[in-house]
Amino acid sequence: MTEEAPVLELRQVDKSFGPIDVLHEISLTVRAGEVLCLLGDNGAGKSTLIKTLAGVHPPTRGEILMDGRPVHFSGPKDAGDRGIATVHQFGGTFPLMSIGRSFFVGVEPTKGWGPFKVFDRKKANEIAVQAVQSFGITRIDDGDRLVGGLSGGERQSLAIARAVHFGARVLILDEPTAALGVKQASHVLRIVLEAKRRGLAVIFITHQVMHAMAVGDHFAVLIRGALAANFRKGEKTREEITDLMAGGEAMAGLEASLETYMQSHEGHPPSA
Ligand SMILES: Nc1ncnc2c1ncn2[C@@H]1O[C@H](COP(=O)(O)OP(=O)(O)O)[C@@H](O)[C@H]1O
Ligand SMILES: [Mg+2]
């Protein structure tokens, strides 16, 4: 039996902006029905990496493969057409639009024919509400409500449901839970698991180790643009992951110097 090719794969990808080298020899595989958590401190290169995967930046060197075949995205639209969808922190939706309308921005269903085509509000609302509810968000039941009136978690849910409805195969979530409270975050995490259950490949970017551990099958830690660790669920503890994200040695060094300082100042911590 041959294993199914990964939906998406990076081979030795470098990304530079002029003289600035941001990503160094990144090799990663993203499989259908799996959640890959991308972890790393601010400035580690997470956004650059997902923009490279989503067709925003062409790689400087290396290869991107989809279903085992090399691909060259001409831009984000091209990557989107091939099923790579990115959902940004605030859902990327339009606060002054209704739920039904925002769901179909760019892909509006029509009734009638020829020059008489009009946006079918009722049908759009029905489809949008049904799509979101199928992810377990039953509080959204009126497609005429404005997106701006939804909570952060509901907006994320709407954006994810929309991407899945229109055929996304790879769902890239850039810090979807960063600005959310515990309850809201747990809704989003549940939706991530539902997307995985439906066979999508999910790339989940977060700073929050607990959120990553709640949904991740696979973990990749970026430090200064390089893959510092790449491991599967259960292979590392929460403490080990936290330490890795903080840059390991950097953190240990900081603790050691704080210890020395405390001893030489008879236990008084440095004033801020
Ligand atoms: N277009 C760009 N031109 C030059 N440098 C960039 C560009 N985009 C990102 N960088 C640099 O790449 C590094 C990684 O940034 P980024 O990918 O946004 O990190 P993260 O998302 O992990 O916080 C930073 O040092 C940033 O300044
Ligand atoms: Mg970022």
Side-chain angles (χ1 to χ4, degrees), residues 181-212:
V182 176
K183 198 168 163 213
Q184 296 271 315
S186 76
H187 286 311
V188 172
L189 294 175
R190 220 173 311 141
I191 287 175
V192 168
L193 290 176
E194 175 61 19
K196 165 188 146 116
R197 196 191 62 79
R198 293 190 193 189
L200 274 85
V202 183
I203 303 176
F204 180 66
I205 295 161
T206 183
H207 273 90
Q208 284 143 302
V209 177
M210 287 312 285
H211 293 176

Side-chain angles (χ1 to χ4, degrees), residues 15-23 38-51 57 174-175 205 207 222 224-225:
K15 178 66 200 170
S16 308
F17 296 102
I20 307 162
D21 299 327
V22 175
L23 298 177
L38 187 60
L39 301 158
D41 211 346
N42 277 330
K46 304 182 297 299
S47 292
T48 304
L49 178 55
I50 60 164
K51 285 178 186 164
H57 301 313
D174 196 357
E175 305 259 8
I205 295 161
H207 273 90
L222 270 184
R224 289 185 294 277

Side-chain angles (χ1 to χ4, degrees), residues 38-252:
L38 187 60
L39 301 158
D41 211 346
N42 277 330
K46 304 182 297 299
S47 292
T48 304
L49 178 55
I50 60 164
K51 285 178 186 164
T52 306
L53 285 176
V56 179
H57 301 313
T60 306
R61 270 176 299 277
E63 258 191 328
I64 302 178
L65 296 92
M66 262 193 110
D67 303 310
R69 283 183 292 277
V71 281
H72 299 276
F73 302 130
S74 62
K77 167 95 172 56
D78 184 22
D81 290 346
R82 296 176 199 240
I84 299 177
T86 307
V87 171
H88 295 284
Q89 197 172 0
F90 300 104
T93 43
F94 314 93
L96 297 177
M97 255 185 214
S98 72
I99 290 170
R101 184 153 301 261
S102 79
F103 199 83
F104 285 96
V105 165
V107 278
E108 288 159 21
T110 51
K111 62 181 178 189
W113 355 267
F116 304 107
K117 281 183 181 172
V118 289
F119 181 72
D120 187 338
R121 187 181 121 247
K122 190 162 168 285
K123 187 166 175 211
N125 286 353
E126 246 171 54
I127 294 171
V129 166
Q130 202 270 323
V132 186
Q133 291 204 345
S134 78
F135 273 87
I137 306 294
T138 50
R139 278 161 303 141
I140 295 183
D141 56 5
D142 177 5
D144 277 327
R145 268 177 73 191
L146 295 187
V147 170
L150 301 177
S151 70
E154 287 169 342
R155 272 202 220 189
Q156 289 278 339
S157 308
L158 178 63
I160 295 170
R162 180 180 189 276
V164 173
H165 182 82
F166 291 109
R169 297 178 62 213
V170 179
L171 188 60
I172 302 176
L173 306 172
D174 196 357
E175 305 259 8
T177 56
L180 303 180
V182 176
K183 198 168 163 213
Q184 296 271 315
S186 76
H187 286 311
V188 172
L189 294 175
R190 220 173 311 141
I191 287 175
V192 168
L193 290 176
E194 175 61 19
K196 165 188 146 116
R197 196 191 62 79
R198 293 190 193 189
L200 274 85
V202 183
I203 303 176
F204 180 66
I205 295 161
T206 183
H207 273 90
Q208 284 143 302
V209 177
M210 287 312 285
H211 293 176
M213 292 186 82
V215 297
D217 297 296
H218 207 128
F219 303 81
V221 182
L222 270 184
I223 296 182
R224 289 185 294 277
L227 212 55
N230 192 357
F231 53 93
R232 298 195 62 82
K233 183 188 180 114
E235 290 178 355
K236 288 195 194 299
T237 65
R238 180 186 171 189
E239 289 72 25
E240 286 170 328
I241 301 173
T242 308
D243 219 40
L244 264 169
M245 278 176 69
E249 330 90 67
M251 202 61 188

Side-chain angles (χ1 to χ4, degrees), residues 9 48 70 259:
E9 185 178 351
T48 304
E259 188 73 14

